[in-house]
Every structure is written in C-alpha cells, then in structure tokens.
Amino acid sequence: PHVPPPIAATATSQDKSVQSVVPHKEVFYSPALEGLIAARKEIAVYSFAKSQKRLVETKSIREDDALEEEERNTVRDLYCNSKEMTLNSSQVGDDRPVTAVRYSPDGRMVCSGSLSGVVKVWDSETLKNKGVLRGTLDRITSVCWHPDAHENNNGPILLAASSAEGCCHLYDFRRVNMDNENREDAGNDVMDMDITESENNHMNVGDDASDDAESDDSMDQDNFTNAPTAAATTTVAPPRVFVATAGHDATWRLWDTEQGRELQLQDGHAKDLSALAFHPDGSLLMSADSGGVLLLWDLRSGMSIQTFQGHIKKISSVSFSANGFQAATGSLDNSVRIWDLRRKKCCYTLPAHNNIVSVLSGELLLTSSFDNTVKIWGARDFHILRALAGHSGKVMSADFSPDQKHIMSAGFDRTIKLWAH
C-alpha cells in the first residue's frame, strides 16, 4: 500500500489541530411559545390590511390627476409653512434637563420626560401642565404614546416611558383626564400619579428581567437593572398593544401589555442597542446599536431580514417614513442617513448638524442636535427648509404635531418650546 510522505501527514495533523480550535458557528432557533405565535398571527393580519390600504391610497393618487395635484398642493403648503416657522412659546419643563418630548396622536397634548424621572403631560397649545406621572427612580430615556390614544374610548390610552433604571412604565392617561375633570381643584390642573400603586403596569428590561411577569418579584423596583434606551408602541388588533424595548444588554424585547408578559427576547446585535422603531404597517421593527449597525426584523416570522451599515458612530434615533419604504437614522457622527428598504441600501446622506443628531421622518424630516438647533428638511429632495435656534443648551428631543404644522422641542436648558408659523 502507498504510504504518504511524512510532510503530508504532518500537514493533515496540523489542519485537524486548527479545525479543533476554530469554533463552528451554527444557526439555531428557539421554539416560540403559544403567546408569541398568536401575536405573530395578529401582527400578520393587521399589517396585511394596513399595507394594502396604504398601497391602494398611493395607487389612487398616482392614477388620479386631481388627487395628485391636491397632494402636491398639500406638500407645497407644508414646505411654505415650515420656512416661516418661529418660536411661539416656551415653558420650563422641569427642575432638571428635559430629555424627551412627544405629541399625542390627536395633537392635543404633549408628553415630556426629564432627568428627574418625571413624565409630564402638557396642553399642546397653551403649554399648561395637565398631569405629572411618577413611578420611575431614574432619568427618563424615551416616551411614546399609544398610536390610537383618544380614538378608541373602550381601549387603553397608554403612554410608555423607559427609564435608566431598566424599566418601561405604562400609564393609562384616562385616569388623569377623569380626575382632572372631576376634582374640585381642577383649576390647578395637575395630578400626581405614582405608578407603584397600580398592578401590572411596568415591565423589567435587561439581563436580570424576570421571565415571570406576573410574579410579585417583578413589581419590586430593586430588581430594575440594565437601562433600556428606547421604547416604542404599536397597536396590532385594537385594543391590543405591543411594546418593544431595547437595552444595554444588546437585546430587544417584545411585550404583550394585555397579558403583562414578555413575548420575545431577541439578540443579534454585538453592541448596546440605542434605538427602535416600528414600521407604520406594524410588520417590521428596526433596531440600532452603538456600533452604527441597523437590523431590520420581520415581526411576523421573527427573522432578521436585512442589515444596514454606514454610520461610523452610535445611532441615536430611528424613524420610518409614512411612505413605508424609507427609514431615517441620526447618529453621533453628526449625519442623517436615508435608507431605502426596497433597494436595501443608503440612498442619501445629510451632513445635518455639528453635534449628536436625532431624527424624525414624515413628509418633512425633523432633526434636533446637541448644537442647540432644530432643523426642518424636505423629505422628497432633502433640502433644508428652516433652522430653528432658541434653546440655550443642547436640544435633547423634538417632535412634529400630527399635521406637521407645529414643532415641540425639549432642551438641556430645562425648557420645552413650541414652534409654529
């Protein structure tokens, strides 16, 4: 028999040695629980209906000259209104810097969060305080309204707020409205709520989060660890609400607020998560991390379907466009990138600011920055329409009213400001 030369035998043994050192990567799947399977079915039904409605509306506009002309006039009016925006009013938002601000879906109210751990609700026109929501022990990192707040009186009117203690708090704002209307001292128009008085109204987020959301231990604030950096809500089959949270443990979690439990714990990022956003149809979720990486997830299957890379520093915010096929991201590299989900690549880069940028997308693009300014951009040609300067410190957050004719901004100077035509 042929005996191979010793050198070949030596090479083979070395190869085997190398193979034993190099770890073998495997793709593995965790079995989905019944609650998650049911949620995915609801998301699929809801998203199919939403996407079909959006596509039908878009097609009808493109095929009808009158509707297309009406849309162009609406956009033109928005652009003209944006170019004339100026500071309308200002209000001290808290004793400490205000970190987040969001309009309610009906545009009548605005919620804000601050480093003091307090969430406040304001009248969007007068900036009069409507409620003070307590329950957190640390700084507020994000706030978000239920998309159907005040539209469905039978369902919960939820306001979600994540804090640096590693917890996402949910508030039923109907209690504020009801108590304010019936109290004898309603003229003061402020109500304090301690979330620890309610049951099943907060969720742990992070490495040490309990898997049993119904246990008494999950209500203990001493267990709150690992700060989430973003919270977003979407309605799937009203009045059902899902909440997604992202944490410094490089994972995001999907929660069922009806059952008060965690449905999904998802890893996939190599670094801390910094932002989350739901697609307008409710079918997709985009997560961003401190390494500048974006992952697009299909909530109906639980799969990661696309990776986007381009930012060289931490991504501070993510926002989907109402058109359904674009997303905008702001980053610590001082830029804004527009991503085309159909082409699976970045289609435009804006050198937006001189410091950290957060972004919100719609027919208009809104950016706020640590350079003390808020800027408005056209979402079709990405030309700047207006730069708003008025804060004496870093602008921490900004938001459009639902009709995009007003802007609310929150700053490190402890104020919230209303910008209007």
Side-chain angles (χ1 to χ4, degrees):
H2 176 69
V3 179
I7 187 171
T10 304
T12 303
S13 62
Q14 289 178 350
D15 291 341
K16 290 181 179 180
S17 175
V18 171
Q19 291 176 2
S20 63
V21 173
V22 177
H24 180 62
K25 295 183 178 180
E26 295 184 2
V27 178
F28 65 93
Y29 299 90
S30 301
L33 300 178
E34 292 184 3
L36 179 57
I37 295 174
R40 287 175 175 170
K41 290 179 180 179
E42 289 187 49
I43 292 173
V45 172
Y46 177 80
S47 63
F48 291 154
K50 287 274 287 186
S51 59
Q52 183 181 18
K53 180 181 178 181
R54 174 174 54 83
L55 292 174
V56 168
E57 290 177 353
T58 302
K59 184 179 179 180
S60 63
I61 291 174
R62 297 294 173 262
E63 293 178 348
D64 191 317
D65 293 339
L67 291 177
E68 192 168 14
E69 181 63 25
E70 181 181 351
E71 183 191 43
R72 282 197 295 264
N73 291 336
T74 301
V75 173
R76 187 183 302 112
D77 291 342
L78 279 177
Y79 279 35
C80 292
N81 179 76
S82 299
K83 292 178 180 179
E84 301 296 329
M85 273 199 180
T86 186
L87 181 60
N88 182 279
S89 56
S90 180
Q91 175 69 277
V92 176
D94 198 74
D95 296 333
R96 300 194 65 194
V98 185
T99 56
V101 64
R102 283 293 179 268
Y103 268 97
S104 64
D106 60 4
R108 294 187 301 168
M109 291 181 292
V110 173
C111 65
S112 66
S114 69
L115 293 184
S116 64
V118 174
V119 177
K120 294 183 179 181
V121 181
W122 311 83
D123 185 283
S124 62
E125 294 184 358
T126 64
L127 295 187
K128 186 177 182 180
N129 191 209
K130 303 290 289 184
V132 179
L133 313 178
R134 304 183 186 278
T136 64
L137 300 177
D138 211 331
R139 63 187 183 275
I140 301 296
T141 56
S142 67
V143 291
C144 187
W145 290 90
H146 181 303
D148 293 334
H150 304 288
E151 292 182 4
N152 182 2
N153 294 327
N154 296 324
I157 303 176
L158 295 180
L159 176 62
S162 61
S163 63
E165 63 190 352
C167 182
C168 178
H169 298 262
L170 297 181
Y171 303 90
D172 187 342
F173 194 70
R174 287 176 302 181
R175 290 177 54 188
V176 178
N177 288 338
M178 184 183 302
D179 288 4
N180 279 344
E181 290 174 0
N182 296 332
R183 277 186 305 121
E184 294 181 358
D185 60 339
N188 198 21
D189 226 11
V190 177
M191 190 191 77
D192 291 344
M193 291 177 59
D194 188 343
I195 198 169
T196 58
E197 295 176 354
S198 306
E199 296 181 357
N200 297 329
N201 52 6
H202 74 273
M203 300 173 290
N204 290 334
V205 182
D207 288 334
D208 298 331
S210 172
D211 291 332
D212 185 4
E214 297 180 356
S215 68
D216 293 337
D217 293 337
S218 68
M219 298 295 292
D220 186 358
Q221 293 191 7
D222 292 336
N223 292 337
F224 294 171
T225 60
N226 252 347
T229 53
T233 62
T234 186
T235 180
V236 177
R240 189 167 175 132
V241 182
F242 295 103
V243 174
T245 56
H248 287 306
D249 56 359
T251 68
W252 62 267
R253 301 174 187 237
L254 186 67
W255 306 82
D256 182 352
T257 60
E258 270 191 359
Q259 303 295 327
R261 63 179 179 178
E262 176 187 309
L263 292 176
Q264 182 177 356
L265 168 60
Q266 183 65 58
D267 58 11
H269 285 270
K271 295 190 176 183
D272 301 350
L273 266 67
S274 53
L276 283 177
F278 280 114
H279 189 275
D281 297 340
S283 57
L284 306 175
L285 180 141
M286 184 170 279
S287 58
D289 66 26
S290 58
V293 176
L294 286 163
L295 293 181
L296 186 65
W297 304 85
D298 188 339
L299 295 176
R300 298 163 295 189
S301 64
M303 297 181 63
S304 174
I305 57 177
Q306 186 62 42
T307 301
F308 298 95
Q309 291 180 283
H311 287 292
I312 59 176
K313 291 186 178 180
K314 174 182 176 179
I315 297 173
S316 55
S317 60
V318 179
S319 179
F320 280 101
S321 172
N323 61 26
F325 61 84
Q326 286 181 325
T329 55
S331 169
L332 272 63
D333 61 14
N334 305 341
S335 71
V336 172
R337 287 181 176 263
I338 310 300
W339 307 90
D340 192 317
L341 305 185
R342 302 170 303 181
R343 299 178 180 178
K344 301 180 180 180
K345 66 178 183 179
C346 177
C347 61
Y348 211 93
T349 302
L350 299 173
H353 290 269
N354 298 324
N355 213 319
I356 299 173
V357 180
S358 60
V359 63
L360 190 73
S361 180
E363 185 59 59
L364 298 172
L365 192 67
L366 182 66
T367 61
S368 57
S369 170
F370 281 16
D371 63 8
N372 305 358
T373 64
V374 176
K375 293 183 179 180
I376 309 170
W377 312 74
R380 300 196 177 195
D381 54 10
F382 302 111
H383 288 172
I384 187 168
L385 300 174
R386 183 74 167 169
L388 306 174
H391 284 279
S392 60
K394 297 176 286 190
V395 181
M396 307 296 289
S397 178
D399 191 23
F400 272 124
S401 61
D403 59 6
Q404 294 195 307
K405 294 182 179 179
H406 301 82
I407 293 173
M408 195 71 66
S409 60
F412 208 77
D413 57 6
R414 300 180 293 113
T415 67
I416 56 174
K417 297 185 185 296
L418 174 64
W419 309 82
H421 175 64

